[in-house]
Amino acid sequence: MKINEYMDITINEDRIDYYYQKRTNEVHEILGLLRKYNHKLIGKTDNGEIIFSINDVYYFESVDKKTFAYLRNVVLKIEVRLSELENAYYEYGFIRVNKSTVLNVYKINSLKSELNMKVIALLDNGERVQINRSYKSKFNLFLKTMNEERLDNEINN
């Protein structure tokens, strides 16, 4: 794959044009990543509203029927239900890991098994998120599928 990069200070908006001969798994993955960076949400703080990228989210959590987005250094209240977030961003690495949490798997630094069959996801910002037993098999299948897709793309290239 050939990549050209150009800086043009005269343009009003950044843009990416992506040309391909055939829509392979690699092409699908690259387009998915590009679209992921384009997804924006609005979160509320005590000081007002903030627009943020879905890529900046470590996890979403529902507390007392309110949904919060946890970013590296800030927690934002959002007006979207947890189930809607799970469905909308599943293909971008977000998966339900317990009743009240949808986790971004790309922010996981490591996984640690607990004695009670639960798993703790250690995130790259130092936070810990619990993966409950009832969600563990779906989570493991999700990781396995992601890994197989990545391996397939490496083999086909």
Side-chain angles (χ1 to χ4, degrees), residues 64-122:
D64 296 330
K65 297 186 180 185
K66 295 176 185 157
T67 307
F68 299 92
Y70 289 76
L71 284 59
R72 178 173 284 282
N73 296 318
V74 66
V75 178
L76 303 170
K77 183 178 182 286
I78 59 174
E79 300 295 328
V80 184
R81 296 175 52 125
L82 209 57
S83 59
E84 294 169 354
L85 292 164
E86 179 183 18
N87 293 331
Y89 299 116
Y90 181 84
E91 67 182 275
Y92 301 114
F94 286 84
I95 186 164
R96 177 91 57 135
V97 294
N98 61 52
K99 185 178 177 183
S100 62
T101 308
V102 173
L103 177 64
N104 182 350
V105 296
Y106 294 108
K107 300 294 186 180
I108 296 174
N109 191 34
S110 63
L111 297 170
K112 180 181 175 189
S113 295
E114 298 285 308
L115 292 175
N116 55 4
M117 304 232 351
K118 294 180 184 175
V119 175
I120 301 295
L122 303 169

Side-chain angles (χ1 to χ4, degrees), residues 141-153:
L141 180 62
F142 184 81
L143 292 180
K144 181 181 178 197
T145 302
M146 283 180 53
N147 193 38
E148 287 173 355
E149 288 175 3
R150 185 183 55 80
L151 289 174
D152 285 344
N153 287 334

Side-chain angles (χ1 to χ4, degrees), residues 15-66:
R15 80 167 193 245
I16 296 174
D17 296 320
Y18 187 53
Y19 300 87
Y20 54 88
Q21 291 176 321
K22 183 180 175 188
R23 193 173 180 102
T24 62
N25 284 341
E26 180 185 31
V27 169
H28 179 71
E29 187 174 317
I30 289 169
L31 291 173
L33 287 171
L34 292 172
R35 287 186 185 105
K36 178 180 177 182
Y37 283 98
N38 202 26
H39 284 271
K40 304 288 184 193
L41 293 171
I42 297 175
K44 296 178 182 177
T45 67
D46 293 337
N47 299 328
E49 294 183 339
I50 295 175
I51 297 172
F52 62 96
S53 170
I54 189 70
N55 190 51
D56 295 331
V57 176
Y58 281 74
Y59 60 95
F60 296 105
E61 185 176 41
S62 179
V63 179
D64 296 330
K65 297 186 180 185
K66 295 176 185 157

